Amino acid sequence: VESVAIDSRTPALERKELVEDFRRGKISVLVNVDIFSEGFDCPDVEFVQLARPTLSLAKYLQQVGRGLRKSDNKESCVLIDNVGLHRIFGLPVRDRDWEAMFEGRMAGNAQPRTRMENNGLSVSCSLSEDSKQNEGLEIVMTHNCLLDAVRNGDLVRLGEDGPAGGEQRTALKACRDRQSGLWGLRCGNKITVLPQYREVFDLCADRAAVRFEDGRTGVVDDSGTPLMVTDRCRRLRFLKGELLSVTKEDGSDCYTDLKTNRTYQERPVVFSYGGIELLRVGETFHSRTRKAYTSMHGLHKDSLCFYGFYLKIPDYRVPKSCRLVDPVWSAIFDVFACVLEGDDEEVYWCCGCLADRSIVVMDGEGNYYHVEKGKGKRYIACNAPKAGEADFASVVEGLRKEAGRRAESVQRERQQNEEEKRRKRLEEIKDVLPFRMGMKWGLKWGDRIVVPPCYRNICVPVGGYCAFEGNACQWGVMALDGKVVVEARYQKVEIEKDGTVHLTIIPGKVKT
């Protein structure tokens, strides 16, 4: 995170530049000591952390007010109170008896007498209906809970798990019906689920962990549709990586993968490879596909290899029915389990790689698929073909020929592109000149070194080439970009303007 600190000793010009960078978003965090408490106009501020104690209500409201200005695309402001000012003054938007304070009948936080009598400084105090409507702030968690969440790594960064395209949406929140004592869900000012839950344990993106009226627990979406229902438990808590921590009635914990609804006794660790995710539980890896897969015991994370559109998992438990693209391959070392990017169905067995880097895989039912990057899988054969259906060997033979032609075409295109780039580069550096550094010579284009000094001698370029001396009396020819065209093993080299090169092998014997 880009952050800077400004104090009274910061030069005025430097302070102005830092503030402008903060407004433009180049700087994310601005630390100061009572410099921007008042009069600082930046409505886009979304986070204020208070570390300065004060007994002045005006000072407190000015400090938090730096983040409470309205702005486009700004839904909320996070306030972290490290010094407990909210316990003295209450939340910034609470109703205050300013007249009584100005008349001297009330000091300090200007809280109405009824609020004070009702323990109005308590976070959990009950509010009147009018006060409730004006209560624009919420205490999400106490400072101790915040520290625990940071230590446990349970905080989700703003923007994570959001909707596709980076669109911002109103956060899902719990709302309580005071008459029935039940809880519902709301997005902003819109109630999406009427109060019907005995308890709301936790919220994450568009999901909520709740206790139903019958005492069971589960996870629901923002419309109240149950996504998962569990037996009675003590507590549910969302973790990073779409995991759910379940505290049972006996106090023990288990963990549920919200993508597959599978439960583990140890806390899983999420490993990401491109768009593929695996869970490490103890000494084994588990897939997040519809059909469960568990790797061999003791597999190290460095033995997994990602190839852009599939993840290779070493596994010698290859089914005997799995056929190979190249029968010469060893079934133990070259056949492996693989997870396909964008395929949440199951983990496949890879039967081999083709010349164009595509692969052939087999599923658990004995069906074979051809998989290309960016195109997904395509059915090609099975172990028990029906009448009139091509067998595995003939289909693979055709795929190998087709892949070979594609690989050759790609290689030719790559070479043509490289040659075109090199031609343009040679045109740009046609004015290179030899230069000497110590006892070695190289080529230089203006202030830019094209060929580092590593030769005994280099002659002035003629056309697009120049003669160079590698070892003593051993001359060759190289292009202006340093690519050696003729190896340095001739006694003398002469280059003409038309590109003709005369190579002296021994005195009197010249090769052109």
Side-chain angles (χ1 to χ4, degrees):
V1 176
E2 188 70 24
S3 61
V4 296
I6 296 178
D7 55 31
S8 59
R9 294 172 295 181
T10 306
L13 182 60
E14 181 182 351
R15 179 189 299 185
K16 182 178 180 181
E17 291 177 354
L18 293 176
V19 170
E20 288 302 317
D21 288 343
F22 178 72
R23 294 182 194 274
R24 290 193 294 264
K26 292 183 179 180
I27 296 175
S28 301
V29 179
L30 196 62
V31 182
N32 71 97
V33 181
D34 209 22
I35 292 179
F36 301 117
S37 297
E38 302 178 19
F40 179 62
D41 184 20
C42 186
D44 295 331
V45 172
E46 295 180 335
F47 173 86
V48 176
Q49 185 168 4
L50 303 175
R52 178 196 188 280
T54 180
L55 294 177
S56 169
L57 173 61
K59 176 70 72 176
Y60 165 64
L61 293 179
Q62 286 285 355
Q63 289 176 345
V64 298
R66 299 313 96 204
L68 299 183
R69 298 279 305 281
K70 290 186 177 181
S71 176
D72 295 338
N73 300 322
K74 174 181 173 181
E75 294 183 353
S76 62
C77 175
V78 178
L79 303 178
I80 295 184
D81 183 6
N82 292 103
V83 287
L85 296 181
H86 75 277
R87 299 187 183 278
I88 301 175
F89 304 112
L91 297 179
V93 294
R94 282 185 172 175
D95 293 331
R96 306 176 193 276
D97 193 346
W98 295 106
E99 183 178 355
M101 182 180 179
F102 293 145
E103 291 176 356
R105 292 184 286 107
M106 183 179 292
N109 53 24
Q111 295 293 324
R113 184 173 300 278
T114 56
R115 294 285 294 275
M116 296 293 290
E117 291 174 353
N118 290 330
N119 193 21
L121 298 182
S122 172
V123 175
S124 60
C125 69
S126 60
L127 303 177
S128 66
E129 198 62 37
D130 293 338
S131 299
K132 198 71 175 179
Q133 292 176 358
N134 294 327
E135 193 70 44
L137 297 184
E138 296 182 9
I139 293 187
V140 179
M141 61 178 67
T142 64
H143 191 255
N144 291 336
C145 292
L146 175 63
L147 293 178
D148 291 339
V150 171
R151 293 190 189 100
N152 297 332
D154 294 336
L155 290 181
V156 180
R157 291 186 180 183
L158 293 177
E160 283 190 1
D161 298 326
E167 299 179 359
Q168 296 294 327
R169 60 171 297 161
T170 305
L172 185 66
K173 296 182 180 179
C175 56
R176 186 172 184 266
D177 179 51
R178 291 167 51 187
Q179 268 191 335
S180 64
L182 298 177
W183 291 82
L185 301 175
R186 66 179 175 88
C187 287
N189 295 325
K190 180 182 177 182
I191 295 179
T192 59
V193 181
L194 294 175
Q196 56 183 281
Y197 307 120
R198 289 170 52 183
E199 188 176 358
V200 177
F201 297 104
D202 199 4
L203 299 164
C204 179
D206 60 348
R207 291 177 291 194
V210 301
R211 186 186 300 280
F212 301 102
E213 286 192 85
D214 59 3
R216 295 184 301 164
T217 57
V219 177
V220 299
D221 61 14
D222 54 3
S223 63
T225 303
L227 304 177
M228 184 192 74
V229 178
T230 66
D231 293 331
R232 298 173 185 268
C233 66
R234 185 181 299 178
R235 184 189 178 197
L236 300 178
R237 184 165 58 98
F238 290 111
L239 305 177
K240 289 195 303 182
E242 296 194 57
L243 298 173
L244 182 71
S245 172
V246 181
T247 302
K248 302 177 184 178
E249 292 187 334
D250 61 1
S252 61
D253 290 333
C254 63
Y255 303 90
T256 300
D257 181 6
L258 294 175
K259 286 190 174 182
T260 62
N261 286 345
R262 286 193 279 270
T263 301
Y264 305 96
Q265 299 306 312
E266 295 184 46
R267 180 167 179 170
V269 179
V270 180
F271 285 82
S272 298
Y273 303 85
I276 299 173
E277 290 184 345
L278 292 180
L279 298 181
R280 179 71 180 266
V281 183
E283 295 296 321
T284 57
F285 286 92
H286 297 258
S287 70
R288 307 190 84 172
T289 52
R290 189 178 65 83
K291 295 182 180 179
Y293 167 84
T294 304
S295 72
M296 297 185 299
H297 186 80
L299 196 65
H300 194 273
K301 63 182 181 65
D302 292 340
S303 62
L304 278 63
C305 300
F306 182 60
Y307 291 93
F309 64 102
Y310 68 96
L311 178 68
K312 172 182 175 181
I313 306 176
D315 197 330
Y316 61 77
R317 302 170 298 179
V318 184
K320 293 182 178 179
S321 59
C322 184
R323 303 179 63 179
L324 305 178
V325 170
D326 188 347
V328 177
W329 283 20
S330 166
I332 296 179
F333 298 105
D334 291 312
V335 181
F336 46 83
C338 67
V339 188
L340 303 181
E341 189 172 42
D343 190 319
D344 296 329
E345 184 64 23
E346 63 177 299
V347 175
Y348 300 86
W349 297 101
C350 185
C351 307
C353 184
L354 302 177
D356 61 350
R357 298 180 183 270
S358 62
I359 58 175
V360 175
V361 300
M362 185 191 80
D363 64 12
E365 303 297 327
N367 299 313
Y368 295 90
Y369 302 89
H370 180 225
V371 187
E372 299 179 76
K373 185 176 183 179
K375 295 184 179 180
K377 64 181 182 182
R378 177 173 62 89
Y379 173 81
I380 56 173
C382 65
N383 283 329
K386 299 178 182 179
E389 186 178 357
D391 63 352
F392 176 81
S394 59
V395 173
V396 167
E397 184 62 28
L399 286 176
R400 292 179 66 178
K401 292 180 180 178
E402 183 182 351
R405 288 192 294 268
R406 281 200 300 266
E408 291 177 359
S409 175
V410 170
Q411 182 66 19
R412 284 196 301 269
E413 184 177 354
R414 185 182 295 113
Q415 290 178 351
Q416 291 173 359
N417 292 336
E418 290 177 355
E419 290 175 0
E420 180 65 18
K421 290 180 181 179
R422 182 168 179 266
R423 184 185 63 78
K424 291 181 179 180
R425 175 172 168 77
L426 290 174
E427 289 179 357
E428 292 178 354
I429 61 175
K430 59 184 178 180
D431 298 328
V432 298
L433 293 173
F435 76 98
R436 184 175 180 179
M437 183 177 292
M439 300 297 293
K440 297 293 183 179
W441 288 78
L443 289 177
K444 201 171 186 180
W445 180 44
D447 294 333
R448 182 178 174 184
I449 295 177
V450 179
V451 178
C454 58
Y455 298 105
R456 289 174 59 90
N457 199 356
I458 295 180
C459 297
V460 177
V462 179
Y465 303 93
C466 61
F468 71 94
E469 184 181 14
N471 297 321
C473 298
Q474 291 186 344
W475 289 80
V477 179
M478 67 175 168
L480 300 183
D481 60 353
K483 182 178 180 180
V484 175
V485 179
V486 178
E487 293 293 337
R489 57 172 182 263
Y490 300 94
Q491 289 191 359
K492 186 179 180 182
V493 172
E494 295 180 355
I495 305 175
E496 298 182 2
K497 292 184 179 181
D498 59 358
T500 304
V501 180
H502 302 286
L503 306 173
T504 302
I505 303 174
I506 57 175
K509 187 174 182 181
V510 179
K511 182 171 70 172
T512 302

